[in-house]
Amino acid sequence: MMDCTWTVGRTGLWQALVVILCLFQLSSVTGQARYSIPEEQPEGSFVGNIARDLGLDVARLMSGKARIIFKGSRQYVHLNRDKGTLVIKERIDREELCGKTTPCSFNFEVILENPIQLYRVTVEVTDINDNSPSFPKDEINLKIVESVALGTRFSMESADDSDVLINDIQKYILKPSDNFKLEVQNQPDGGRFIEMVLQNPLDREKEESHTLMLIASDGGEPHRSGTVRIHITVLDANDNAPVCSQAVYKADVRENSPEGTVVTTVSANDADKGFNGEVTYSIAHVARETKQLFEVNVQTGEIKVAGKLDFEKSKTYQLNVQASDHGGYTDTCKVIIQIIDENDNVPTIQLMSFSNSISEDSAPGTTVAVVNVDDEDSDGNGVVKCSINTVIPFKIESSLTGYYSIVTDDALDRESVPEYNITITVSDQGSPPLSSSKSINVKVSDVNDNAPKFDESQYSRTVPENNSPGFSVFTLSASDADWGQNARVSYFLEEKEINGVGVSSLVSVSSENGVIHAVRSFDYEQIKWFEFNVTARDAGSPPLSSVATVKILVQDQNDNPPQVLYPVQTGGSVVAEMVPRSADVGYLVTKVVAVDVDSGQNAWLSYKLQKATDRALFEVGLQNGEIRTVRQVTDKDAVKQRLSVIVEDNGQPSRSATVIVNVAVADSFPEVLSEFTDFPHDKEYNDNLTFYLVLALAVVSFLFITSLVVIISVKIYRWRQSRVLYQSNLPVIPYYPPRYSDTLGTGTLQHVYNYEVCRTTDSRKSDCKFGRAGSQNVLIMDPSSTGTMQRIQSEKSILDEPDSPIEVSLNI
């Protein structure tokens, strides 16, 4: 514990300001401070440097949103967070705040957030001499019999001063003091009993009345005083004074008793008879507040409740009841009234600190709110119990007398319960018990603790081949149980290679909505299916993701016609199958073999005979493509049989291919050869052969003429040059380019080119040869009448020197 005291000198009305700071650790209350200030200070007056006294810096006050929490509606001080000081917010009247209670103080809490810290501050308000003593009446009239004995006492109502201690009434003075003297007695409750004592006899005949001044003065600076005028009328003799039955009366009364409730009855007896024996009762020598709460019947002495009794304001009252006769004699008795507490105050709940939002990953024990509960009743009526509703992951803990903290008791999950309504209930132990409640709403803020989740872990979809690029395959979807940014899902394609190409060249995924598009057209014959992974990633920090596998099955379309593998179709040659004339029914001539690169029913092939020289002789197997004889072969059947077989698939629509099968019905090969030698060629084939022969002759002729023109031009040019050189008398040196030889002086070609053309009456058996050194170009007409013509690219002749003469030899 650390005690610190400061004394600050001031000029003017106040002489000293003492600030006492007491800082100690009390459970969750971080510390406590105490200050002392005079009352009636102007607004803005300095109270203390709370930041320095509590060991805090100004930055902590700002970041923690430091604020002052008062229990009542009045806020006497203000916290300057930017300076860390406490200043007066409104005028403080000690008498209004505490009355006669000393010391006088008020409490408040300073609370900071993040983390929550609670400081209790007590400010003591010291009294200043701002109230003068005052008597209940400005003038007192007494009637005293002249025969009253010396030493007779006459009680006076005391003055009242709202100030306390030294500023309260310190002395009474009676002027003049010829016949009476003043005696003052201190009472246990702090009040004073004032009596005038007769010290010299009265003589009505000498002086019928006396006027005295009773002065009450306090001890403050400057001194203040109050006076009352006492007017005494001297009467004839009255021998006996009233006597109270009891010196002290005690009574109990419940608070909140209605007005008119009888508390007790006092009585007094007077030995005199008649008029002088009549006794009246009055309440004297009590504070104004007490007189407003009780009244006494003048004739009977019955004391009743006249105002609202509040146990919380005062637990005990003392009345001085004066019994008086008409002769001026009096007697005083004390009435002590004890107030019995009633359970009339509902417990109150004040929210000191509250965070309306808490992160779902908060650890158990995280503080959500700090509340203060209070019950102004006493004993069992003021004992309170605080609780919250059950079946929620929160609990309430007592951190200090009257203070409770609401903390988390279990893990939170926003996806299960996004918010909680916490009802704080406080009840006392009175009979019947009183209670109050307060509800707070706590929202659970989201953290990124849930990864996106696909509807399926594996997707399988079918896409027809030959789709258009950009075709939408399907949409995959992932949901995220989080909220806001943490639940915003984006989709990404994981790159991988499929058959040597990246998957991104096959499909694409929309990052926003997960739509999968085909990037290009798929071909079932190249790729039948492929798999890839799609990642769904949220926008949280750090982001969470999940992966789904997508399998794309390419559906075959009938986009490929059948392909005939056998018999092989050549450009011009004729392939014939032989059937002996002795062949019986069902003889296997040949088999048409075809395939379809499609699959399923698109690849189911059927074979049909489309055309035939003799349809009654052959048939084609529908499923196997076997060509068999239908009947016995006879000598009347033609040797040359031409069959047209169509191969169809089972697609929708179907595709087909046609193959020509030549069949020779003969027993020997020479017979077949003689027949197929005269087999007429297609006109188109003959036309093509003639065209190519004519084109070749035209090209050769053009090259020959061009060479002659070039040679002649070169000769003329050199002849003119030689003439110039001859005329210039310069020596002539013959020049021969390398690798060129002069043959008879007629040309400079280093090789001889031979052209041989052999023609017959039948162009199908003609032969054309073009020969040169190291290579040949041959155009062959197959003597077997296949009519195949091959073209081989001609090599170019390169002249070593552009100006050299050329020799061409042509042999036909």
Side-chain angles (χ1 to χ4, degrees):
M1 182 180 294
M2 178 180 67
D3 294 334
C4 302
T5 303
W6 290 266
T7 301
V8 181
R10 296 185 58 184
T11 61
L13 185 61
W14 325 121
Q15 292 182 348
L17 173 65
V18 178
V19 180
I20 303 173
L21 173 65
C22 301
L23 184 64
F24 54 92
Q25 298 293 330
L26 285 175
S27 185
S28 66
V29 176
T30 308
Q32 186 172 6
R34 186 179 182 89
Y35 297 95
S36 179
I37 60 172
E39 65 171 331
E40 302 293 345
Q41 288 200 75
E43 294 182 14
S45 299
F46 178 79
V47 176
N49 191 322
I50 190 69
R52 180 189 62 196
D53 298 339
L54 295 179
L56 302 172
D57 54 20
V58 175
R60 173 65 181 124
L61 295 179
M62 299 294 288
S63 64
K65 300 179 181 178
R67 61 186 183 276
I68 292 176
I69 306 296
F70 280 91
K71 291 185 178 179
S73 59
R74 302 286 295 272
Q75 294 189 5
Y76 296 108
V77 297
H78 172 70
L79 172 62
N80 287 329
R81 283 189 295 197
D82 54 347
K83 296 181 180 179
T85 59
L86 294 174
V87 296
I88 298 297
K89 185 176 182 181
E90 62 177 88
R91 185 184 66 84
I92 303 174
D93 185 358
R94 194 207 65 81
E95 289 73 33
E96 178 185 356
L97 181 64
C98 301
K100 284 289 187 178
T101 303
T102 57
C104 177
S105 63
F106 60 89
N107 301 317
F108 59 87
E109 282 76 29
V110 176
I111 191 167
L112 291 86
E113 298 179 0
N114 300 321
I116 292 179
Q117 292 177 299
L118 186 65
Y119 298 91
R120 178 169 291 174
V121 180
T122 300
V123 177
E124 181 181 355
V125 181
T126 59
D127 185 45
I128 63 172
N129 194 22
D130 58 341
N131 292 283
S132 299
S134 62
F135 288 92
K137 300 178 180 179
D138 295 333
E139 185 175 301
I140 299 174
N141 294 312
L142 295 179
K143 294 179 180 181
I144 302 175
V145 179
E146 61 178 335
S147 60
V148 66
L150 296 178
T152 301
R153 298 176 177 272
F154 302 92
S155 61
M156 298 287 106
E157 291 192 34
S158 61
D160 180 57
D161 193 330
S162 299
D163 296 324
V164 294
L165 301 177
I166 191 66
N167 296 322
D168 199 356
I169 297 173
Q170 299 298 314
K171 61 181 179 178
Y172 288 89
I173 302 173
L174 184 63
K175 295 181 180 180
S177 57
D178 297 336
N179 298 96
F180 297 89
K181 65 177 182 179
L182 190 66
E183 289 186 1
V184 179
Q185 299 177 10
N186 294 322
Q187 299 196 61
D189 62 354
R192 292 180 180 182
F193 189 69
I194 306 171
E195 291 180 313
M196 287 192 311
V197 181
L198 183 64
Q199 61 181 353
N200 292 315
L202 297 177
D203 188 351
R204 190 185 65 82
E205 288 71 25
K206 289 183 179 181
E207 192 173 1
E208 292 184 359
S209 63
H210 299 269
T211 300
L212 307 177
M213 297 294 294
L214 179 59
I215 303 171
S217 60
D218 59 27
E221 288 293 339
H223 294 290
R224 292 176 178 268
S225 62
T227 61
V228 60
R229 185 184 300 273
I230 302 172
H231 183 73
I232 300 173
T233 302
V234 181
L235 301 176
D236 284 336
N238 187 1
D239 299 323
N240 297 286
V243 178
C244 291
S245 301
Q246 296 177 221
V248 178
Y249 289 84
K250 291 185 178 180
D252 296 333
V253 63
R254 292 185 177 277
E255 68 171 328
N256 300 321
S257 294
E259 295 183 10
T261 300
V262 177
V263 179
T264 187
T265 302
V266 298
S267 63
N269 298 314
D270 194 320
D272 293 325
K273 299 296 183 179
F275 180 78
N276 290 329
E278 293 180 1
V279 179
T280 59
Y281 302 91
S282 62
I283 297 175
H285 320 305
V286 295
R288 284 191 297 261
E289 293 82 0
T290 305
K291 278 189 175 182
Q292 294 172 358
L293 297 176
F294 300 96
E295 63 182 4
V296 62
N297 189 296
V298 177
Q299 301 298 327
T300 63
E302 188 178 61
I303 300 175
K304 296 182 180 180
V305 176
K308 183 177 180 180
L309 301 178
D310 191 351
F311 176 85
E312 287 69 41
K313 290 185 177 180
S314 179
K315 301 175 178 60
T316 304
Y317 293 94
Q318 178 177 310
L319 304 181
N320 296 316
V321 179
Q322 181 176 279
S324 305
D325 62 13
H326 294 291
Y329 290 104
T330 63
D331 192 12
T332 303
C333 61
K334 295 181 180 178
V335 179
I336 299 175
I337 302 174
Q338 188 74 33
I339 306 300
I340 300 175
D341 184 36
E342 290 284 327
N343 191 24
D344 60 339
N345 290 283
V346 177
T348 60
I349 303 174
Q350 188 174 9
L351 202 59
M352 309 298 290
S353 177
F354 171 54
S355 298
N356 61 355
S357 177
I358 184 171
S359 177
E360 65 176 319
D361 62 349
S362 299
T366 302
T367 301
V368 177
V370 176
V371 297
N372 172 251
V373 298
D374 185 37
D375 193 323
E376 295 183 355
D377 294 323
S378 63
D379 298 330
N381 295 331
V383 178
V384 296
K385 180 181 179 182
C386 193
S387 62
I388 60 175
N389 48 316
T390 58
V391 200
I392 58 175
F394 296 92
K395 64 180 180 179
I396 190 166
E397 297 177 344
S398 177
S399 55
L400 187 66
T401 302
Y403 284 88
Y404 293 87
S405 298
I406 299 176
V407 300
T408 57
D409 190 35
D410 201 353
L412 304 176
D413 186 8
R414 189 206 65 83
E415 290 70 38
S416 299
V417 183
E419 63 179 350
Y420 294 92
N421 288 317
I422 303 175
T423 301
I424 307 166
T425 303
V426 57
S427 59
D428 58 27
Q429 297 182 5
S431 180
L434 299 178
S435 64
S436 63
S437 62
K438 186 178 185 67
S439 295
I440 59 176
N441 180 266
V442 178
K443 298 185 183 299
V444 181
S445 61
D446 186 49
V447 297
N448 193 25
D449 57 346
N450 289 280
K453 185 177 181 181
F454 283 97
D455 298 337
E456 305 174 31
S457 60
Q458 291 185 339
Y459 294 85
S460 181
R461 295 294 186 274
T462 300
V463 180
E465 68 171 330
N466 302 320
N467 58 284
S468 59
F471 173 76
S472 177
V473 180
F474 78 105
T475 301
L476 50 79
S477 175
S479 58
D480 196 314
D482 292 321
W483 181 81
Q485 191 77 359
N486 296 329
R488 187 168 64 85
V489 179
S490 300
Y491 303 89
F492 302 93
L493 180 66
E494 290 188 8
E495 188 61 40
K496 62 179 288 188
E497 286 195 357
I498 299 176
N499 294 341
V501 298
V503 69
S504 59
S505 64
L506 299 176
V507 293
S508 66
V509 178
S510 173
S511 63
E512 295 295 330
N513 51 30
V515 178
I516 298 179
H517 292 91
V519 175
R520 67 182 186 183
S521 179
F522 297 142
D523 188 354
Y524 176 84
E525 288 69 40
Q526 293 182 0
I527 181 170
K528 293 178 173 55
W529 64 273
F530 59 93
E531 283 185 348
F532 56 91
N533 293 334
V534 175
T535 300
R537 184 179 301 124
D538 59 32
S541 179
L544 300 178
S545 62
S546 60
V547 178
T549 301
V550 180
K551 184 175 183 179
I552 300 297
L553 302 174
V554 181
Q555 184 180 25
D556 183 43
Q557 300 291 312
N558 192 25
D559 59 340
N560 291 282
Q563 297 179 1
V564 178
L565 302 180
Y566 186 84
V568 179
Q569 300 295 293
T570 60
S573 63
V574 177
V575 178
E577 302 291 341
M578 291 184 60
V579 176
R581 293 186 179 274
S582 61
D584 201 353
V585 177
Y587 177 81
L588 178 62
V589 179
T590 186
K591 182 177 182 179
V592 177
V593 179
V595 295
D596 195 320
V597 295
D598 293 324
S599 65
Q601 66 177 8
N602 295 328
W604 297 350
L605 302 180
S606 60
Y607 302 85
K608 297 179 182 177
L609 184 62
Q610 186 181 32
K611 295 180 182 180
T613 304
D614 187 354
R615 297 185 66 89
L617 183 57
F618 301 98
E619 69 175 358
V620 180
L622 180 64
Q623 303 298 330
N624 54 23
E626 294 180 350
I627 301 177
R628 295 180 181 270
T629 59
V630 179
R631 60 176 174 78
Q632 180 72 42
V633 179
T634 65
D635 295 337
K636 295 181 181 181
D637 292 325
V639 175
K640 295 175 289 184
Q641 295 286 337
R642 183 182 177 92
L643 307 179
S644 176
V645 179
I646 183 170
V647 183
E648 291 184 340
D649 58 26
N650 199 35
Q652 292 297 331
S654 63
R655 293 178 176 268
S656 63
T658 303
V659 60
I660 303 298
V661 180
N662 295 307
V663 179
V665 180
D667 292 326
S668 62
F669 182 75
E671 184 181 357
V672 175
L673 183 62
S674 62
E675 288 294 334
F676 277 86
T677 300
D678 298 331
F679 196 90
H681 276 256
D682 294 334
K683 182 177 183 300
E684 181 182 357
Y685 171 76
N686 295 331
D687 293 342
N688 289 339
L689 180 61
T690 303
F691 171 75
Y692 287 123
L693 289 175
V694 173
L695 179 62
L697 290 175
V699 171
V700 172
S701 300
F702 174 76
L703 292 175
F704 177 74
I705 295 173
T706 303
S707 298
L708 289 178
V709 173
V710 170
I711 293 172
I712 294 171
S713 299
V714 171
K715 288 292 186 179
I716 294 173
Y717 174 77
R718 288 187 174 181
W719 177 78
R720 294 181 64 181
Q721 289 293 107
S722 63
R723 294 292 298 173
V724 173
L725 294 174
Y726 177 78
Q727 293 177 0
S728 61
N729 297 322
L730 295 176
V732 178
I733 302 176
Y735 170 73
Y736 297 95
R739 296 189 293 118
Y740 283 84
S741 59
D742 190 6
T743 305
L744 301 177
T746 61
T748 57
L749 283 174
Q750 56 178 337
H751 300 293
V752 176
Y753 282 74
N754 297 319
Y755 297 88
E756 296 181 3
V757 178
C758 301
R759 299 289 294 174
T760 65
T761 57
D762 189 351
S763 63
R764 292 172 296 173
K765 299 180 181 180
S766 299
D767 219 340
C768 179
K769 294 183 180 180
F770 168 69
R772 58 177 298 179
S775 65
Q776 289 183 340
N777 288 342
V778 181
L779 179 63
I780 302 174
M781 296 302 298
D782 191 352
S784 63
S785 300
T786 58
T788 301
M789 182 180 69
Q790 300 179 353
R791 291 191 301 166
I792 303 176
Q793 183 179 0
S794 302
E795 297 182 1
K796 295 181 180 181
S797 299
I798 302 175
L799 299 178
D800 291 325
E801 294 293 336
D803 295 335
S804 300
I806 300 175
E807 181 179 350
V808 177
S809 175
L810 179 63
N811 297 322
I812 299 177

